């Protein structure tokens, strides 16, 4: 499954980059995120409560950030599994300056398996998009509020 | 015998009142004291190594009694066996542990079982079993799976090829050398999901005091399940009772031996509590067998006048991740041997590769190999007709095995018992009014409307079967069937069959058979099935065998009862047995009909035994074990009439005519019902149904939201008619009718759609013929 999206945030690129990398901000903005703890190996241990179509449940997994090019881009790896099956994905997040702030491009691939794949396939794309929109919507509010401070 | 009113009468199914008023008892209705509930943890990956399973969170969850993994079962629960070891092949039988131990091989492969106080607690705790997987590359396409470099499922099965099997007869090289025309085609027979109304269910109960294990389960063959459970659990066969209470359909999917009943039995024995598992629909889609899934390349050799000289090809049959109970026999014995259909095709050369893929195992699904064969040959005949610009009816007539030729041995070596293919075709043509349709079709085409007609002149092999042949083709069981007819002192009868009807209506038809033979009111005959503690040894219900084999055992047992009753009647009436006529349940002295004894009188006297012929044993109960001398080969002509909407590509089925020949019909209402249901499933394969896997092995059609089964509004009123050609292999001349609908209908529909689109140059479309697929072929697209 392709994951793609473009968002604009009215804030300087450095602030956007920093906040998008900040564990506290991530935990607050990732929909259903109950825990996000940095581990010794540099990965974050995450616990997410997610519902797609009729499938709801808790995922436990890891979030890892690699290929960091501050304040321009990084690669985000997510994998998780739980009662509803598993999900994994890898996206490139690229930031660029635009007239009134920062443009964020998200592009990558995701896979799901188990019950989510069996039941939610038809709604998976819109559900993923909706989760992403929620995430960036929250990030946008947070970052723009910080920028105004 | 006088013309009867019971045999051949459209008696209403006696099963139905309880079924449609909610009074039937299914396995899931069974409630026992101290019952515990089991949920299975299943792999979300198509192929992965199990690194670690942590059951601690699940064990600590509320209401959890126990959690077991594959390792816990090692040495205690043996692997799941296959029961069809086809000969003349290099069949590999890789291990199939009841719960995966180190590797999972399909999405749905069970890795652990959770026992809890409620179904909900078990399901919740199952989600807490932490399994760490190392994901491996997966393969779902059975042709690609055989190629070098493909992911390997089993260490001892190179290139994932479970077997290569070949059927050949006649001189295929000469056929192609002498051919004036050849036609080649690849045909995809897509994977299907069986979808009985009731999913699989198990209740296992163990009495440590007596050592008896009772397994109530959704079974089409309780004795086979008992035997296999005995092998898997190491428990003596006589200590196991398998009960199939009401079973809500199976379509083949409840023949097989699955891990769940073995695991539940083990848990019941270990934990000293009865266990219940209720499969839900999503689980059923992953954990219960699928059907079909063939990729077939075929080539037909013919003369310009339409005479078919030979057929050759290769089939890649996907077996899924493990061998299921009967799976090796389905694409070979029940498929390859029927590849020449109802035609006198002198040469056949057909190879079948059974291939492991990272998918749910496949096995017998209604028709089991014969729908695939019929689809293949009936499509090839139409393709040849198109190539030769011949009418599809003419080419069929030209190649039919003529009625005088029976019994007829086809190139594959099997001998068709009886047939009259032209009679069925003629009747179907008359019903559909073929000439008039062609005129309407031409007129419609002139208006830009696409009407089409499609034929399927099928023959199938069923009434499984002669036990010696079963042995010769590697089936690890017999295929005879048993019956007991018991007359009580009051003259009422209880009859027992070793077959195991689960929706087909044999409680009604078998009562008709016995009532007919013994002159009893039909309501005085009770038919018992589905419990190894009550019924005689028998092989169950599948392969359209129940009536042809089990029904024959029933009639033979009833005739033995009648002969004993005749001797008693003669003794009481002081005449010799041959001086008695048997009329409407009454033995009467020839010429003096008022001197008589009813069958009820005799039943009483036999059970009292106050005055029996010298040396005769008391009682009026007989059994029969019938082993047929051959299979039976029902046949017929099915015709589909369709219209394709050029705007949307949607296919509308305008008419469906089914003319079937199953020999003498015991109950036309039930035969119609079997044909209706079978046709619905076959039409559904042609137009809608398909189990779809992603390339990495996720089942994308994982629920009824995405897997399109037909509804009542999907189908026209099916027009049924029959011809009657008795089989010589059983005394009533019966042939099976349980699967003909699915066997005949897919090519009829596809041939009709291709006929409709022929003006656009369409030659072939693979099933299912979805609107999108067709729309892309239309000029407007």
């Amino acid at each position: 499954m392709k994951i793609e999206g473009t968002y604009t945030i009215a804030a300087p690129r450095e602030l956007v980059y920093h906040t998008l990398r900040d564990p506290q901000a991530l935990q607050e903005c990732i929909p259903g995120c109950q825990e996000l703890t940095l581990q010794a190996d540099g990965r974050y241990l995450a616990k997410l409560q997610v519902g797609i179509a009729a499938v709801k449940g808790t995922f436990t997994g890891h979030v890892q950030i690699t290929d960091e090019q501050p304040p321009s881009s990084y690669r985000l790896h997510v994998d998780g599994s739980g009662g509803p099956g598993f999900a994994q994905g890898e996206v490139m997040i690229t930031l660029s300056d635009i007239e009134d702030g920062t443009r964020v491009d998200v592009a990558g691939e995701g896979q799901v398996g188990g019950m989510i794949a069996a039941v939610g396939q038809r709604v998976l794309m819109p559900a993923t998009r909706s989760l992403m929109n929620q995430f960036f919507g929250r990030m946008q509010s947070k970052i723009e509020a910080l920028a105004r401070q | 015998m006088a013309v009867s009113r019971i045999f051949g009468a459209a008696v209403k199914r006696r099963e139905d009142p309880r079924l449609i008023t909610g009074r039937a008892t299914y396995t899931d209705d069974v409630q026992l004291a101290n019952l515990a509930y089991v949920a299975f943890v299943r792999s979300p990956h198509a192929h992965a190594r199990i690194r670690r399973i942590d059951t601690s969170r699940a064990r600590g969850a509320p209401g959890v009694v126990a959690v077991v993994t594959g390792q816990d079962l090692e040495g205690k629960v043996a692997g799941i066996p296959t029961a069809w070891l086809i000969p003349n092949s290099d069949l590999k039988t890789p291990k199939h542990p009841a719960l995966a131990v180190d590797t999972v091989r399909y999405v749905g492969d069970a890795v652990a079982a959770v026992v809890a106080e409620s179904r909900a607690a078990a399901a919740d705790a199952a989600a807490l079993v932490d399994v760490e997987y190392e994901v491996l590359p997966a393969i779902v396409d059975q042709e690609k799976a055989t190629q070098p470099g493909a992911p390997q499922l089993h260490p001892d099965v190179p290139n994932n090829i479970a077997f290569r099997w070949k059927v050949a007869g006649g001189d295929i090289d000469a056929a192609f050398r002498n051919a004036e025309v050849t036609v080649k085609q690849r045909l995809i027979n897509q994977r299907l999901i069986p979808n009985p109304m009731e999913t699989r269910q198990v209740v296992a109960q163990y009495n440590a005091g007596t050592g008896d294990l009772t397994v109530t389960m959704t079974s089409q063959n309780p004795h086979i399940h008992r035997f296999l459970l005995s092998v898997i659990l190491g428990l003596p066969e006589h200590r196991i009772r398998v009960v199939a209470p009401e079973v809500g359909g199976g379509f083949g999917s409840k023949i097989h031996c699955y891990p769940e009943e073995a695991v539940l039995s083990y848990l019941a024995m270990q934990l000293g509590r009865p266990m219940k598992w209720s499969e839900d629909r999503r689980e059923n889609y992953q954990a219960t067998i699928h059907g079909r899934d063939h990729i077939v390349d075929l080539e037909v050799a013919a003369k310009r006048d339409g005479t078919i000289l030979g057929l050759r090809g290769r089939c890649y049959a996907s077996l899924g991740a493990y061998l299921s109970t009967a799976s090796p026999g389905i694409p070979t014995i029940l498929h390859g041997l029927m590849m020449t259909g109802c035609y006198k095709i002198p040469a056949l050369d057909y190879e079948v590769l059974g291939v492991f893929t990272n998918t749910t195992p496949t096995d017998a699904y209604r028709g089991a190999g014969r729908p695939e064969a019929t689809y293949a040959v009936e499509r090839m005949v139409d393709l040849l007709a198109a190539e030769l610009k011949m009418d599809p009816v003419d080419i069929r007539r030209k190649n039919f095995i003529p009625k005088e030729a029976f019994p007829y041995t086809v190139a594959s070596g099997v001998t068709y018992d009886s047939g009259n293919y032209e009679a069925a075709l003629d009747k179907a043509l008359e019903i559909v009014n073929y000439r008039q349709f062609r005129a309407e079709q031409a007129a419609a085409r002139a208006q830009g409307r696409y009407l089409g007609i499609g034929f399927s002149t099928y023959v199938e092999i069923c009434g499984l079967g002669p036990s010696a042949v079963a042995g010769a083709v590697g089936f690890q069981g017999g295929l005879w069937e048993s019956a007991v007819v018991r007359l009580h002192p009051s003259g009422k009868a209880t009859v027992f069959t070793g077959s195991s009807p689960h929706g087909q209506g044999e409680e009604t038809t078998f009562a008709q058979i016995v009532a007919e033979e013994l002159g009893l009111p039909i309501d005085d005959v009770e038919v018992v099935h589905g419990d190894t503690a009550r019924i005689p040894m028998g092989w169950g219900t599948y392969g359209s065998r129940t009536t042809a084999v089990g029904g024959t055992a029933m009639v033979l047992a009833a005739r033995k009862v009648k002969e004993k009753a005749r001797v008693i009647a003669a003794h009481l009436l002081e005449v010799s047995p041959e001086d008695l006529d048997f009329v409407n349940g009454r033995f009467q002295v020839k010429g003096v009909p008022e001197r008589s004894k009813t069958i009820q009188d005799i039943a009483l006297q036999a059970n009292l035994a106050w005055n029996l012929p010298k040396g005769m044993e008391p009682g009026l109960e007989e059994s029969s074990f019938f082993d047929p001398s051959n299979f039976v080969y029902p046949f017929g002509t099915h015709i589909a009439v369709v219209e394709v909407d050029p705007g949307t590509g949607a296919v509308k089925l305008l008419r469906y005519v089914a003319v079937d020949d199953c020999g003498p019909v015991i109950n036309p209402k039930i035969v119609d019902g079997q044909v209706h249901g079978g046709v619905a499933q076959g039409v559904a394969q042609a137009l809608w149904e398909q189990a779809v896997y992603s390339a990495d092995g996720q089942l994308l059609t994982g629920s009824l939201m995405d897997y399109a089964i037909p509804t009542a509004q999907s189908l026209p009123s099916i027009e049924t008619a029959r011809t009657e050609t008795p089989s010589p292999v059983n005394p009533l001349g019966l042939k099976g009718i349980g699967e003909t609908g699915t066997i005949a209908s897919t090519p009829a529909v596809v041939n009709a759609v291709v006929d409709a689109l022929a003006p656009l140059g369409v030659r072939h479309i693979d099933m299912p013929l979805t609107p999108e697929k067709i729309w892309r072929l239309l000029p407007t697209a």
Side-chain angles (χ1 to χ4, degrees), chain A residues 1-5 74-76 88-94 105-111 125 128 132:
Chain A
M1 179 184 62
K2 274 206 165 15
I3 300 172
E4 277 172 336
Y74 65 88
R75 195 179 287 278
L76 182 70
Q88 58 196 44
E90 196 178 302
V91 290
M92 193 73 193
I93 294 177
T94 313
D105 287 296
V106 182
E109 287 275 342
Q111 286 99 38
M125 292 279 270
T128 308
M132 243 169 54

PDB file of all heavy atoms in Angstrom, chain A residues 1-5 74-76 88-94 105-111 125 128 132:
ATOM      1  N   MET A   1       0.846  -1.187   0.000  1.00  0.00           N
ATOM      2  CA  MET A   1       0.000   0.000   0.000  1.00  0.00           C
ATOM      3  C   MET A   1       0.890   1.248   0.000  1.00  0.00           C
ATOM      4  O   MET A   1       1.808   1.366   0.807  1.00  0.00           O
ATOM      5  CB  MET A   1      -0.881  -0.015   1.247  1.00  0.00           C
ATOM      6  CG  MET A   1      -1.786   1.193   1.350  1.00  0.00           C
ATOM      7  SD  MET A   1      -2.728   1.194   2.890  1.00  0.00           S
ATOM      8  CE  MET A   1      -1.437   1.280   4.113  1.00  0.00           C
ATOM      9  N   LYS A   2       0.572   2.160  -0.902  1.00  0.00           N
ATOM     10  CA  LYS A   2       1.328   3.412  -0.979  1.00  0.00           C
ATOM     11  C   LYS A   2       0.837   4.376   0.097  1.00  0.00           C
ATOM     12  O   LYS A   2      -0.364   4.476   0.342  1.00  0.00           O
ATOM     13  CB  LYS A   2       1.093   4.069  -2.345  1.00  0.00           C
ATOM     14  CG  LYS A   2       2.023   3.570  -3.434  1.00  0.00           C
ATOM     15  CD  LYS A   2       2.186   4.653  -4.489  1.00  0.00           C
ATOM     16  CE  LYS A   2       3.357   4.430  -5.426  1.00  0.00           C
ATOM     17  NZ  LYS A   2       3.954   3.112  -5.446  1.00  0.00           N
ATOM     18  N   ILE A   3       1.766   5.043   0.707  1.00  0.00           N
ATOM     19  CA  ILE A   3       1.392   6.078   1.672  1.00  0.00           C
ATOM     20  C   ILE A   3       1.904   7.401   1.112  1.00  0.00           C
ATOM     21  O   ILE A   3       3.107   7.542   0.864  1.00  0.00           O
ATOM     22  CB  ILE A   3       2.015   5.804   3.058  1.00  0.00           C
ATOM     23  CG1 ILE A   3       1.529   4.443   3.590  1.00  0.00           C
ATOM     24  CG2 ILE A   3       1.679   6.922   4.028  1.00  0.00           C
ATOM     25  CD1 ILE A   3       2.242   4.002   4.850  1.00  0.00           C
ATOM     26  N   GLU A   4       1.040   8.355   0.903  1.00  0.00           N
ATOM     27  CA  GLU A   4       1.445   9.644   0.338  1.00  0.00           C
ATOM     28  C   GLU A   4       0.644  10.766   0.956  1.00  0.00           C
ATOM     29  O   GLU A   4      -0.540  10.588   1.262  1.00  0.00           O
ATOM     30  CB  GLU A   4       1.196   9.661  -1.175  1.00  0.00           C
ATOM     31  CG  GLU A   4       2.313   9.024  -1.961  1.00  0.00           C
ATOM     32  CD  GLU A   4       1.971   8.875  -3.446  1.00  0.00           C
ATOM     33  OE1 GLU A   4       0.774   8.835  -3.784  1.00  0.00           O
ATOM     34  OE2 GLU A   4       2.905   8.818  -4.234  1.00  0.00           O
ATOM     35  N   GLY A   5       1.267  11.911   1.104  1.00  0.00           N
ATOM     36  CA  GLY A   5       0.516  13.069   1.586  1.00  0.00           C
ATOM     37  C   GLY A   5       1.389  14.321   1.576  1.00  0.00           C
ATOM     38  O   GLY A   5       2.623  14.238   1.609  1.00  0.00           O
ATOM     39  N   TYR A  74      13.951  12.996   6.925  1.00  0.00           N
ATOM     40  CA  TYR A  74      14.324  11.784   7.667  1.00  0.00           C
ATOM     41  C   TYR A  74      13.410  10.649   7.234  1.00  0.00           C
ATOM     42  O   TYR A  74      12.391  10.864   6.585  1.00  0.00           O
ATOM     43  CB  TYR A  74      14.279  12.007   9.188  1.00  0.00           C
ATOM     44  CG  TYR A  74      12.921  12.298   9.773  1.00  0.00           C
ATOM     45  CD1 TYR A  74      12.075  11.269  10.189  1.00  0.00           C
ATOM     46  CD2 TYR A  74      12.505  13.623   9.942  1.00  0.00           C
ATOM     47  CE1 TYR A  74      10.844  11.545  10.744  1.00  0.00           C
ATOM     48  CE2 TYR A  74      11.265  13.908  10.503  1.00  0.00           C
ATOM     49  CZ  TYR A  74      10.434  12.871  10.900  1.00  0.00           C
ATOM     50  OH  TYR A  74       9.209  13.138  11.446  1.00  0.00           O
ATOM     51  N   ARG A  75      13.847   9.481   7.578  1.00  0.00           N
ATOM     52  CA  ARG A  75      13.059   8.297   7.235  1.00  0.00           C
ATOM     53  C   ARG A  75      12.447   7.739   8.517  1.00  0.00           C
ATOM     54  O   ARG A  75      13.136   7.632   9.536  1.00  0.00           O
ATOM     55  CB  ARG A  75      13.981   7.256   6.592  1.00  0.00           C
ATOM     56  CG  ARG A  75      13.266   6.141   5.865  1.00  0.00           C
ATOM     57  CD  ARG A  75      14.268   5.187   5.235  1.00  0.00           C
ATOM     58  NE  ARG A  75      14.926   5.751   4.065  1.00  0.00           N
ATOM     59  CZ  ARG A  75      14.392   5.770   2.851  1.00  0.00           C
ATOM     60  NH1 ARG A  75      13.203   5.258   2.634  1.00  0.00           N
ATOM     61  NH2 ARG A  75      15.044   6.296   1.845  1.00  0.00           N
ATOM     62  N   LEU A  76      11.166   7.409   8.439  1.00  0.00           N
ATOM     63  CA  LEU A  76      10.446   6.924   9.605  1.00  0.00           C
ATOM     64  C   LEU A  76      10.030   5.475   9.365  1.00  0.00           C
ATOM     65  O   LEU A  76       9.389   5.151   8.365  1.00  0.00           O
ATOM     66  CB  LEU A  76       9.210   7.798   9.815  1.00  0.00           C
ATOM     67  CG  LEU A  76       8.321   7.496  11.011  1.00  0.00           C
ATOM     68  CD1 LEU A  76       9.017   7.872  12.315  1.00  0.00           C
ATOM     69  CD2 LEU A  76       7.007   8.270  10.892  1.00  0.00           C
ATOM     70  N   GLN A  88       3.223  -2.514   9.171  1.00  0.00           N
ATOM     71  CA  GLN A  88       4.566  -1.964   9.110  1.00  0.00           C
ATOM     72  C   GLN A  88       4.647  -0.984   7.956  1.00  0.00           C
ATOM     73  O   GLN A  88       3.902  -1.088   6.989  1.00  0.00           O
ATOM     74  CB  GLN A  88       5.615  -3.060   8.992  1.00  0.00           C
ATOM     75  CG  GLN A  88       5.442  -3.950   7.785  1.00  0.00           C
ATOM     76  CD  GLN A  88       6.251  -5.231   7.938  1.00  0.00           C
ATOM     77  OE1 GLN A  88       6.252  -5.856   9.000  1.00  0.00           O
ATOM     78  NE2 GLN A  88       6.936  -5.614   6.900  1.00  0.00           N
ATOM     79  N   GLY A  89       5.518  -0.031   8.106  1.00  0.00           N
ATOM     80  CA  GLY A  89       5.616   0.965   7.054  1.00  0.00           C
ATOM     81  C   GLY A  89       6.932   1.709   7.136  1.00  0.00           C
ATOM     82  O   GLY A  89       7.631   1.685   8.154  1.00  0.00           O
ATOM     83  N   GLU A  90       7.253   2.313   6.028  1.00  0.00           N
ATOM     84  CA  GLU A  90       8.473   3.086   5.972  1.00  0.00           C
ATOM     85  C   GLU A  90       8.149   4.291   5.106  1.00  0.00           C
ATOM     86  O   GLU A  90       7.701   4.131   3.966  1.00  0.00           O
ATOM     87  CB  GLU A  90       9.560   2.242   5.315  1.00  0.00           C
ATOM     88  CG  GLU A  90      10.935   2.782   5.557  1.00  0.00           C
ATOM     89  CD  GLU A  90      11.988   1.884   4.920  1.00  0.00           C
ATOM     90  OE1 GLU A  90      12.028   0.688   5.262  1.00  0.00           O
ATOM     91  OE2 GLU A  90      12.725   2.394   4.071  1.00  0.00           O
ATOM     92  N   VAL A  91       8.303   5.487   5.669  1.00  0.00           N
ATOM     93  CA  VAL A  91       8.024   6.684   4.878  1.00  0.00           C
ATOM     94  C   VAL A  91       9.192   7.643   4.946  1.00  0.00           C
ATOM     95  O   VAL A  91       9.916   7.705   5.937  1.00  0.00           O
ATOM     96  CB  VAL A  91       6.744   7.416   5.359  1.00  0.00           C
ATOM     97  CG1 VAL A  91       5.498   6.606   5.030  1.00  0.00           C
ATOM     98  CG2 VAL A  91       6.794   7.770   6.823  1.00  0.00           C
ATOM     99  N   MET A  92       9.355   8.384   3.870  1.00  0.00           N
ATOM    100  CA  MET A  92      10.346   9.449   3.816  1.00  0.00           C
ATOM    101  C   MET A  92       9.589  10.733   4.105  1.00  0.00           C
ATOM    102  O   MET A  92       8.545  10.992   3.481  1.00  0.00           O
ATOM    103  CB  MET A  92      10.930   9.471   2.402  1.00  0.00           C
ATOM    104  CG  MET A  92      12.161  10.302   2.278  1.00  0.00           C
ATOM    105  SD  MET A  92      13.548   9.445   3.069  1.00  0.00           S
ATOM    106  CE  MET A  92      14.710  10.798   3.105  1.00  0.00           C
ATOM    107  N   ILE A  93      10.075  11.493   5.037  1.00  0.00           N
ATOM    108  CA  ILE A  93       9.441  12.771   5.349  1.00  0.00           C
ATOM    109  C   ILE A  93      10.394  13.869   4.900  1.00  0.00           C
ATOM    110  O   ILE A  93      11.547  13.913   5.334  1.00  0.00           O
ATOM    111  CB  ILE A  93       9.103  12.864   6.837  1.00  0.00           C
ATOM    112  CG1 ILE A  93       8.014  11.808   7.123  1.00  0.00           C
ATOM    113  CG2 ILE A  93       8.632  14.263   7.214  1.00  0.00           C
ATOM    114  CD1 ILE A  93       7.603  11.701   8.550  1.00  0.00           C
ATOM    115  N   THR A  94       9.910  14.689   3.980  1.00  0.00           N
ATOM    116  CA  THR A  94      10.770  15.723   3.391  1.00  0.00           C
ATOM    117  C   THR A  94      10.163  17.088   3.666  1.00  0.00           C
ATOM    118  O   THR A  94       8.970  17.304   3.419  1.00  0.00           O
ATOM    119  CB  THR A  94      10.883  15.521   1.871  1.00  0.00           C
ATOM    120  OG1 THR A  94      11.157  14.138   1.630  1.00  0.00           O
ATOM    121  CG2 THR A  94      11.990  16.361   1.274  1.00  0.00           C
ATOM    122  N   ASP A 105       6.269  16.713   2.882  1.00  0.00           N
ATOM    123  CA  ASP A 105       5.867  15.642   1.962  1.00  0.00           C
ATOM    124  C   ASP A 105       6.131  14.294   2.612  1.00  0.00           C
ATOM    125  O   ASP A 105       7.212  14.058   3.153  1.00  0.00           O
ATOM    126  CB  ASP A 105       6.654  15.728   0.650  1.00  0.00           C
ATOM    127  CG  ASP A 105       6.181  16.887  -0.198  1.00  0.00           C
ATOM    128  OD1 ASP A 105       5.009  16.842  -0.625  1.00  0.00           O
ATOM    129  OD2 ASP A 105       6.965  17.848  -0.399  1.00  0.00           O
ATOM    130  N   VAL A 106       5.138  13.447   2.532  1.00  0.00           N
ATOM    131  CA  VAL A 106       5.251  12.098   3.097  1.00  0.00           C
ATOM    132  C   VAL A 106       5.104  11.110   1.950  1.00  0.00           C
ATOM    133  O   VAL A 106       4.143  11.192   1.180  1.00  0.00           O
ATOM    134  CB  VAL A 106       4.138  11.840   4.144  1.00  0.00           C
ATOM    135  CG1 VAL A 106       4.299  10.462   4.763  1.00  0.00           C
ATOM    136  CG2 VAL A 106       4.143  12.928   5.204  1.00  0.00           C
ATOM    137  N   ALA A 107       6.043  10.184   1.821  1.00  0.00           N
ATOM    138  CA  ALA A 107       5.930   9.202   0.737  1.00  0.00           C
ATOM    139  C   ALA A 107       6.550   7.900   1.184  1.00  0.00           C
ATOM    140  O   ALA A 107       7.665   7.877   1.722  1.00  0.00           O
ATOM    141  CB  ALA A 107       6.639   9.715  -0.507  1.00  0.00           C
ATOM    142  N   GLY A 108       5.839   6.830   0.996  1.00  0.00           N
ATOM    143  CA  GLY A 108       6.399   5.537   1.385  1.00  0.00           C
ATOM    144  C   GLY A 108       5.433   4.404   1.122  1.00  0.00           C
ATOM    145  O   GLY A 108       4.473   4.538   0.370  1.00  0.00           O
ATOM    146  N   GLU A 109       5.721   3.312   1.784  1.00  0.00           N
ATOM    147  CA  GLU A 109       4.959   2.087   1.569  1.00  0.00           C
ATOM    148  C   GLU A 109       4.573   1.515   2.921  1.00  0.00           C
ATOM    149  O   GLU A 109       5.335   1.631   3.878  1.00  0.00           O
ATOM    150  CB  GLU A 109       5.832   1.037   0.876  1.00  0.00           C
ATOM    151  CG  GLU A 109       6.118   1.293  -0.585  1.00  0.00           C
ATOM    152  CD  GLU A 109       5.017   0.768  -1.486  1.00  0.00           C
ATOM    153  OE1 GLU A 109       4.224  -0.077  -1.010  1.00  0.00           O
ATOM    154  OE2 GLU A 109       4.936   1.221  -2.642  1.00  0.00           O
ATOM    155  N   GLY A 110       3.435   0.880   2.953  1.00  0.00           N
ATOM    156  CA  GLY A 110       3.029   0.210   4.177  1.00  0.00           C
ATOM    157  C   GLY A 110       2.467  -1.171   3.874  1.00  0.00           C
ATOM    158  O   GLY A 110       1.968  -1.427   2.775  1.00  0.00           O
ATOM    159  N   GLN A 111       2.592  -2.064   4.829  1.00  0.00           N
ATOM    160  CA  GLN A 111       1.969  -3.394   4.698  1.00  0.00           C
ATOM    161  C   GLN A 111       1.176  -3.685   5.960  1.00  0.00           C
ATOM    162  O   GLN A 111       1.590  -3.303   7.044  1.00  0.00           O
ATOM    163  CB  GLN A 111       3.030  -4.498   4.565  1.00  0.00           C
ATOM    164  CG  GLN A 111       3.721  -4.570   3.218  1.00  0.00           C
ATOM    165  CD  GLN A 111       5.076  -3.882   3.276  1.00  0.00           C
ATOM    166  OE1 GLN A 111       5.781  -3.987   4.270  1.00  0.00           O
ATOM    167  NE2 GLN A 111       5.425  -3.160   2.223  1.00  0.00           N
ATOM    168  N   MET A 125      -6.983   2.346   2.743  1.00  0.00           N
ATOM    169  CA  MET A 125      -6.390   3.570   2.197  1.00  0.00           C
ATOM    170  C   MET A 125      -7.025   4.811   2.823  1.00  0.00           C
ATOM    171  O   MET A 125      -6.319   5.645   3.371  1.00  0.00           O
ATOM    172  CB  MET A 125      -6.553   3.602   0.671  1.00  0.00           C
ATOM    173  CG  MET A 125      -5.725   2.549  -0.035  1.00  0.00           C
ATOM    174  SD  MET A 125      -4.013   3.055  -0.230  1.00  0.00           S
ATOM    175  CE  MET A 125      -4.109   3.866  -1.801  1.00  0.00           C
ATOM    176  N   THR A 128      -6.032   5.031   6.499  1.00  0.00           N
ATOM    177  CA  THR A 128      -4.649   5.454   6.688  1.00  0.00           C
ATOM    178  C   THR A 128      -4.543   6.964   6.477  1.00  0.00           C
ATOM    179  O   THR A 128      -3.893   7.679   7.241  1.00  0.00           O
ATOM    180  CB  THR A 128      -3.737   4.725   5.685  1.00  0.00           C
ATOM    181  OG1 THR A 128      -3.989   3.332   5.794  1.00  0.00           O
ATOM    182  CG2 THR A 128      -2.279   5.000   5.955  1.00  0.00           C
ATOM    183  N   MET A 132      -3.402   9.808   9.105  1.00  0.00           N
ATOM    184  CA  MET A 132      -2.307  10.734   8.791  1.00  0.00           C
ATOM    185  C   MET A 132      -2.779  12.175   8.914  1.00  0.00           C
ATOM    186  O   MET A 132      -2.065  13.037   9.446  1.00  0.00           O
ATOM    187  CB  MET A 132      -1.813  10.468   7.370  1.00  0.00           C
ATOM    188  CG  MET A 132      -0.374  10.021   7.364  1.00  0.00           C
ATOM    189  SD  MET A 132       0.168   9.391   5.766  1.00  0.00           S
ATOM    190  CE  MET A 132      -0.205  10.663   4.636  1.00  0.00           C
TER     191      MET A 132
END
